[in-house]
């Protein structure tokens, strides 16, 4: 008997419920068409509404409840909007985004993968036609580094206040992240219909990002680990960029990058830049994974936030969330062959839909649902 796979849908805040409504409808259509052994359950938390009713963003056992699922899809968290409503229930970022950090840390989702690939019809901000060939995967360390939340404020609120924010980097987390980047570079090369060419006729590449000239302690740890692991992957081209130079080259020549591996903060910044190169955050998906343990549910989410300025106005592009759903289905594909077919069909639907100018959240969903039903 085929095992039923469970997907948790967390609409969240702001535009999250709007894009999740569209995504849930598309998922239902895929389940029906491809007879997928998939069951989706929607949760009212985490969200500002839940906090307003219960005094917290999600139940105390929220993370434990989600452990029972095979994958999680999040709409957005943050300011619920719309910003012209002076009575909206607003919380600090530390509270409203707390569940996302809790899920990443408590589920040990230590790798954040954010692909950046330009699709014909998407907005294009670079005039160079080579930007059409952008196809990179930024892998961000997701469990420590600059976002370790270590430090404090001494004599807070006084003229002599001292604030410290301590970065934490460990050899174990560095090793697993960089090794995963090399593995993904090999996988991407094997999956391409036509090979890409890098140095010495290699078909895959990993670029390490640091700021080792100014932050040598963790920079050298990353560099030494990268150099050692690279010897095990002689078929993969390698190079290193300082983060400021990488930002410039993401704009000057983004088509030269394949897999990029970076710390938590640097990966956060670079993936937002990569998203703009490929049409903007409204077209950028992401995955939070534990590649070492498939029993842990992965968390997928669009790169965009809750966008309170357009919340409730039918102006949110749902395709970033739909792309995240396609990544989720790719992740579950090894468990059932039909899921892989559904994932590819969704990828194709989204790519084909780029020929249409964005016409509204609901209208985009209706158009995609009609084409899915029509076959």
């Amino acid at each position: 008997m085929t095992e039923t796979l469970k997907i948790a849908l967390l609409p969240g805040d702001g535009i999250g419920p709007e894009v999740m409504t569209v995504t849930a409808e598309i998922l239902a259509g895929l389940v029906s068409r491809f007879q997928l052994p998939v069951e989706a359950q929607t949760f009212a938390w985490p969200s500002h509404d839940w906090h307003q009713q219960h005094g917290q963003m999600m139940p105390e056992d929220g993370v434990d409840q989600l452990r029972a699922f095979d994958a999680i899809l999040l709409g957005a968290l943050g300011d619920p909007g719309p910003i012209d409503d002076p009575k909206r229930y607003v919380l600090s970022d530390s509270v409203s985004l707390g569940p996302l950090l809790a899920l990443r840390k408590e589920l040990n989702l230590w790798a954040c993968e954010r692909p950046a690939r330009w699709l014909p019809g998407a907005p294009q901000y670079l005039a160079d036609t080579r930007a059409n060939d952008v196809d990179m995967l930024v892998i961000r360390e997701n469990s420590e580094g600059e976002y370790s939340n270590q430090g404090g404020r001494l004599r807070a609120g006084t003229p002599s206040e001292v604030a410290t924010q301590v970065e934490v980097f460990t050899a174990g987390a560095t090793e697993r992240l960089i090794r995963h980047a090399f593995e993904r570079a090999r996988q991407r090369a094997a999956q391409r219909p036509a090979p890409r060419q890098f140095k010495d006729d290699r078909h895959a590449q990993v670029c390490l990002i640091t700021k080792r000239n100014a932050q040598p302690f963790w920079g050298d740890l990353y560099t030494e680990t990268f150099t050692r692991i690279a010897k095990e992957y002689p078929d993969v081209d390698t190079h290193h960029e300082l983060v400021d130079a990488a930002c410039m080259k993401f704009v000057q020549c983004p088509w030269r990058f394949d897999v990029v591996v970076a710390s938590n903060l640097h990966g956060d910044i670079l993936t937002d830049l990569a998203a703009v190169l490929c049409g903007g955050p409204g077209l950028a998906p992401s995955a939070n994974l534990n590649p070492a343990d498939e029993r842990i549910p992965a968390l997928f989410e669009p790169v965009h936030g809750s966008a309170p300025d357009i919340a409730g106005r039918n102006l949110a592009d749902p395709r970033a969330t739909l792309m995240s759903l396609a990544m989720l289905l790719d992740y579950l594909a090894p468990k059932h062959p039909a899921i892989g077919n559904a994932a590819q069909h969704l990828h194709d639907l989204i790519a084909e839909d780029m020929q249409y100018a964005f016409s509204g959240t609901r209208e985009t969903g209706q158009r995609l649902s009609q084409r899915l039903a029509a076959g």
Side-chain angles (χ1 to χ4, degrees):
M1 183 176 179
T2 302
E3 175 190 5
T4 298
L5 302 174
K6 298 170 61 180
I7 299 174
L9 304 180
L10 312 180
D13 295 317
I15 64 171
E18 299 171 62
V19 297
M20 190 63 77
T21 296
V22 169
T23 303
E25 292 172 355
I26 296 296
L27 175 58
L30 291 168
V31 169
S32 175
R33 174 170 177 172
F34 290 90
Q35 295 298 294
L36 303 182
V38 168
E39 176 183 288
Q41 181 177 344
T42 301
F43 290 83
W45 50 264
S47 69
H48 279 61
D49 283 346
W50 183 273
H51 192 284
Q52 192 167 16
Q53 296 176 44
H54 303 279
Q56 53 188 355
M57 287 292 290
M58 63 181 184
E60 295 289 346
D61 65 344
V63 175
D64 288 335
Q65 288 188 48
L66 295 175
R67 289 183 194 277
F69 288 79
D70 296 280
I72 305 164
L73 183 64
L74 173 66
L77 286 177
D79 190 324
I83 57 176
D84 58 0
D85 178 7
K87 297 181 179 180
R88 74 188 190 282
Y89 186 75
V90 181
L91 301 167
S92 67
D93 286 347
S94 62
V95 174
S96 62
L97 299 179
L100 178 57
L101 300 179
L103 286 168
R104 288 174 176 171
K105 291 184 180 299
E106 293 184 37
L107 295 176
N108 197 20
L109 303 175
W110 49 264
C112 179
E113 293 192 359
R114 294 184 174 180
R117 182 167 68 93
W118 185 80
L119 296 174
Q124 191 171 17
Y125 300 104
L126 295 182
D128 195 314
T129 57
R130 288 175 292 181
N132 296 352
D133 298 323
V134 171
D135 182 8
M136 73 172 81
L137 176 67
V138 182
I139 301 179
R140 163 190 172 190
E141 206 292 317
N142 218 23
S143 66
E144 53 177 37
E146 303 92 340
Y147 293 174
S148 299
N149 200 29
Q150 300 295 306
R153 296 175 64 181
L154 177 65
R155 297 188 292 275
T158 72
S160 58
E161 178 176 352
V162 177
T164 59
Q165 195 80 44
V166 181
E167 302 174 355
V168 178
F169 295 85
T170 64
T174 303
E175 167 106 18
R176 68 188 182 186
L177 177 77
I178 292 174
R179 188 174 297 281
H180 177 62
F182 277 94
E183 288 293 327
R184 291 293 282 122
R186 274 185 174 174
Q187 291 169 7
R188 281 165 54 85
Q191 292 167 355
R192 290 189 186 106
R196 291 181 67 181
Q197 295 296 326
F198 298 101
K199 187 173 58 181
D200 296 330
D201 201 34
R202 296 182 177 99
H203 302 317
Q205 178 204 79
V206 179
C207 175
L208 173 67
I209 306 295
T210 72
K211 188 59 178 170
R212 65 190 181 196
N213 59 335
Q215 297 178 312
F217 301 126
W218 79 261
D220 288 347
L221 171 63
Y222 263 53
T223 301
E224 292 164 9
T225 306
F226 185 80
T227 302
R228 172 171 52 82
I229 293 176
K231 295 176 182 178
E232 302 176 32
Y233 297 84
D235 53 313
V236 179
D237 180 30
T238 63
H239 71 118
H240 169 267
E241 297 286 355
L242 297 175
V243 66
D244 43 356
C247 287
M248 291 187 288
K249 291 181 181 180
F250 266 36
V251 175
Q252 292 173 331
C253 51
W255 51 86
R256 294 183 181 175
F257 292 90
D258 183 11
V259 172
V260 176
V261 61
S263 70
N264 212 327
L265 172 62
H266 292 170
D268 193 2
I269 295 168
L270 288 169
T271 50
D272 283 355
L273 176 54
V276 171
L277 299 177
C278 296
L283 296 173
S286 73
N288 302 274
L289 311 165
N290 185 324
D293 192 345
E294 64 179 15
R295 296 170 300 177
I296 296 175
L299 170 65
F300 299 81
E301 56 175 331
V303 170
H304 66 66
S306 62
D309 56 324
I310 61 171
R313 298 173 58 191
N314 197 41
L315 294 175
D317 194 330
R319 287 176 291 193
T321 311
L322 290 168
M323 290 177 178
S324 300
L325 173 62
M327 289 181 69
L328 183 156
L329 295 173
D330 280 329
Y331 170 78
L332 294 179
K335 298 179 181 294
H336 194 282
I339 299 178
N341 295 334
Q344 185 58 55
H345 189 70
L346 181 53
H347 281 296
D348 294 342
L349 277 177
I350 296 168
E352 293 168 6
D353 196 66
M354 289 299 172
Q355 66 181 295
Y356 299 99
F358 177 69
S359 55
T361 312
R362 292 187 296 273
E363 291 76 8
T364 300
Q366 290 166 1
R367 184 173 62 243
L368 285 164
S369 292
Q370 289 169 1
R371 291 174 51 227
L372 175 59

